[in-house]
Amino acid sequence: MTNNLTLQEVSQHNTKDDLWVIIHGKVYDLTQFLPEHPGGQRIILKYAGQDATDAFDPIHPRDIIDRYLSPDVCKGEIDASALATVEKVETDEEKRLRLARENMPNLREMYNTFDFESVAKAVLKPEAWAYYSSGADDEISMRENHNAFHRIWLRPRVMVDVKDIDLSTHMLGTKVSTPLYITGTALGKLGHPEGELVLTRSAAETNIIQMIPTLASCSFDEIVDAALDSQTQWLQLYVNSDREITKAFVQHAEKRGIKGLFVTVDAPQLGRREKDMRVKYGDEAPEEMEQKDVSRDEGAARYISTFIDPSLNWKDLPWLRSITNMPIILKGVQTPEDAVESARQGVQGIVLSNHGGRQLDFAPSGIEILPEVMEALQREGLDHGFEVYVDGGIRRGSDIFKALALGATGVGIGRPALFAMSTYGQAGVTRLIQLLQDELEMCMRLMGAPTVKHIQRGMVDIRNLKDHFVANPVDHLSHSAYERMVPRGLISKL
């Protein structure tokens, strides 16, 4: 029999030693769980004795409590009508964000990826913007991911029949409309109430592939259930220190029809993302948080490092192959040597990526190392049937063209999709993808390449690609959308 509780009863359990919270109308006793919460104690303490649903949803799949905590922690339910009577006072920050959303430009005025980013910067909550936009340390690699494309120039071929342009290609055996996929990015509900489901629907609408992240805000099954029967999805995997958890997850994903396993290999430890870390000081800490044993030096990304296995190495690949028949792709390769070793180890492909510049600052961009990776694979005779993808910094259709010309099978986008989702929802993501498709089609036509197979290495000039001191054209759009890092002494409230 369900135990019905009142708001007054719940409010009495509001200390570190006796802590209840309300999540989706259910009351949970999190006293014992508090010290173990991967995201730290502060956020739970903030909502002690109160409804924590709004804070819970952006970070967690809805079923996570049922999956990881004992049923005994659920103390009962709160009448929905009682929750509805709780008056919510709009803060100054909430008012600012509401007005910003009410005054957003029309979606038709979004002409490029930076338009979406600039609007997202104005309408996202500070913690969401900090998480999505931050890079590691000085954010050199994050910015370089995009800047590197400016050191690749095009060599157009003329007098080619380009009346009809075909953007379609095959990626891991799936025919797609465009050599583009939405890569796995965590915590989609920070930007939109429906989170990754928005990306699923837009991927279906535009016939591109969505990579489901391990750390999605929605549950894995929710995302798969939202897909069309004909839709292809991949899975981004962080290998858990408890290998049985990973095995169960991977095999469940295969049963649900996932067509590719992208194993992240560049995150044995979480990078320092200082914008994300700083945002935690925006609120006053509860009294309990002033104790010395409670850390306040991490941001929204804190908990992803708590379960990832830092011992993952080449010797684990036979085990991974033994638990699944899905194609295995290593995501986060950053040198030709590791690319060659990946092919020798028998995986089906790699993603050249520095994790969006969020892990090791001064790690090279994927596009910068793509030419030498392809040369190394070709030299060893390992390039046939081995697919190479690139993510990081793709902001234009011409960027996709450049990657394909240098040997990539396809490219992934992360932040642009998040910014489009956070501002205009499914319509925004669909428009973003269509803009990139339109730009790629125009680029192919002007370059004399009627199909993807016609895009050749000789169509690009990369003489300056590895020269980090060459004078790049000033990118006013990127510079205007980017939020500069500021040292603490120049931030207000000093």
Side-chain angles (χ1 to χ4, degrees):
M1 181 175 178
T2 302
N3 186 21
N4 292 316
L5 299 167
T6 66
L7 290 172
Q8 184 178 4
E9 287 177 291
V10 177
S11 67
Q12 294 171 3
H13 301 269
N14 61 357
T15 69
K16 190 172 184 179
D17 298 321
D18 180 18
L19 196 157
W20 292 9
V21 297
I22 304 167
I23 299 174
H24 290 294
K26 292 185 177 181
V27 179
Y28 297 97
D29 182 349
L30 300 185
T31 309
Q32 299 301 317
F33 175 67
L34 182 64
E36 302 172 7
H37 182 229
Q41 300 182 26
R42 174 180 176 239
I43 188 64
I44 297 180
L45 286 163
K46 180 178 178 180
Y47 291 94
Q50 304 173 60
D51 187 358
T53 304
D54 289 345
F56 174 90
D57 273 349
I59 310 294
H60 308 88
R62 189 161 180 166
D63 64 349
I64 195 169
I65 293 179
D66 295 333
R67 286 191 286 129
Y68 289 107
L69 295 184
S70 166
D72 296 338
V73 302
C74 185
K75 295 302 181 182
E77 296 184 359
I78 292 285
D79 186 0
S81 60
L83 283 175
T85 63
V86 178
E87 183 179 359
K88 292 187 177 180
V89 179
E90 185 179 55
T91 66
D92 290 342
E93 179 64 16
E94 289 169 341
K95 181 179 180 180
R96 182 189 70 79
L97 294 175
R98 176 175 58 79
L99 293 174
R101 284 197 175 272
E102 290 174 359
N103 290 283
M104 287 197 310
N106 191 287
L107 177 58
R108 293 191 299 272
E109 298 179 64
M110 299 294 103
Y111 293 124
N112 56 65
T113 59
F114 298 108
D115 284 345
F116 288 104
E117 183 173 352
S118 63
V119 176
K121 185 176 177 181
V123 303
L124 278 173
K125 293 181 179 178
E127 60 269 25
W129 172 254
Y131 180 73
Y132 288 164
S133 69
S134 60
D137 295 346
D138 299 318
E139 300 188 337
I140 304 298
S141 285
M142 185 183 78
R143 286 175 282 152
E144 176 62 15
N145 282 348
H146 175 61
N147 291 340
F149 282 96
H150 297 161
R151 299 196 295 274
I152 303 172
W153 287 76
L154 301 173
R155 304 181 67 245
R157 303 303 303 271
V158 298
M159 297 298 289
V160 178
D161 181 357
V162 287
K163 179 182 178 182
D164 298 314
I165 300 294
D166 182 7
L167 275 61
S168 67
T169 189
H170 287 81
M171 300 195 302
L172 291 183
T174 297
K175 185 174 182 179
V176 292
S177 66
T178 314
L180 172 71
Y181 62 91
I182 299 174
T183 195
T185 50
L187 308 185
K189 285 187 181 179
L190 279 176
H192 191 282
E194 292 188 283
E196 293 79 11
L197 303 185
V198 174
L199 305 179
T200 304
R201 297 181 192 121
S202 285
E205 192 175 352
T206 54
N207 189 25
I208 67 171
I209 294 173
Q210 175 198 24
M211 185 190 298
I212 300 174
T214 295
L215 295 169
S217 294
C218 301
S219 73
F220 171 80
D221 285 314
E222 279 183 296
I223 300 171
V224 176
D225 289 344
L228 302 179
D229 291 340
S230 59
Q231 186 173 350
T232 294
Q233 292 173 306
W234 295 335
L235 173 65
Q236 174 271 325
L237 177 71
Y238 285 118
V239 175
N240 199 302
S241 295
D242 184 339
R243 296 301 173 85
E244 288 304 310
I245 292 177
T246 291
K247 179 180 178 181
F249 185 30
V250 168
Q251 293 181 343
H252 176 66
E254 186 169 358
K255 288 179 182 177
R256 291 301 316 264
I258 298 300
K259 302 300 184 185
L261 183 64
F262 285 67
V263 183
T264 295
V265 295
D266 61 358
Q269 178 179 335
L270 191 69
R272 284 179 55 86
R273 305 160 192 178
E274 294 178 14
K275 284 178 184 172
D276 185 34
M277 293 163 67
R278 264 193 216 287
V279 79
K280 73 197 178 304
Y281 284 105
D283 298 325
E284 289 294 323
E287 184 178 347
E288 292 89 341
M289 287 304 299
E290 300 309 325
Q291 299 178 23
K292 293 182 179 179
D293 62 343
V294 181
S295 172
R296 295 182 67 196
D297 61 357
E298 297 289 353
R302 158 70 176 83
Y303 72 92
I304 78 164
S305 63
T306 61
F307 70 88
I308 300 172
D309 190 352
S311 72
L312 182 69
N313 63 81
W314 297 110
K315 295 178 182 178
D316 292 310
L317 288 179
W319 172 77
L320 275 169
R321 286 197 297 268
S322 75
I323 65 173
T324 183
N325 291 315
M326 289 186 287
I328 295 175
I329 293 84
L330 300 187
K331 181 179 181 295
V333 171
Q334 296 164 82
T335 62
E337 294 86 349
D338 282 344
V340 168
E341 184 62 24
S342 299
R344 286 176 176 161
Q345 290 282 342
V347 299
Q348 283 67 48
I350 55 176
V351 181
L352 302 180
S353 170
N354 58 23
H355 213 102
R358 292 163 70 81
Q359 283 297 100
L360 179 65
D361 208 12
F362 288 94
S365 66
I367 192 66
E368 180 180 326
I369 65 169
L370 177 59
E372 54 187 305
V373 163
M374 297 308 301
E375 290 170 6
L377 291 170
Q378 291 162 6
R379 192 164 52 245
E380 300 293 329
L382 297 170
D383 56 315
H384 298 292
F386 186 77
E387 300 191 5
V388 178
Y389 297 90
V390 173
D391 72 26
I394 289 92
R395 298 295 184 270
R396 289 283 187 183
S398 56
D399 297 337
I400 303 173
F401 185 97
K402 292 172 183 179
L404 297 180
L406 293 174
T409 304
V411 304
I413 57 169
R415 287 187 181 93
L418 289 176
F419 294 143
M421 174 196 74
S422 301
T423 48
Y424 298 92
Q426 181 180 341
V429 180
T430 299
R431 178 164 176 82
L432 168 76
I433 296 168
Q434 290 171 342
L435 285 170
L436 290 171
Q437 290 172 330
D438 290 346
E439 290 177 356
L440 177 58
E441 179 180 343
M442 181 188 70
C443 185
M444 289 172 63
R445 180 170 280 118
L446 296 178
M447 287 295 296
T451 72
V452 169
K453 289 184 178 179
H454 286 90
I455 302 176
Q456 302 294 324
R457 170 67 179 78
M459 290 180 163
V460 291
D461 180 351
I462 61 169
R463 285 175 294 175
N464 291 326
L465 178 56
K466 295 189 72 66
D467 187 349
H468 292 228
F469 301 98
V470 69
N472 275 358
V474 177
D475 184 359
H476 295 290
L477 283 174
S478 176
H479 291 176
S480 298
Y482 175 68
E483 182 177 348
R484 293 187 304 120
M485 297 186 72
V486 179
R488 182 62 185 88
L490 297 182
I491 300 176
S492 60
K493 298 181 182 179
L494 181 63

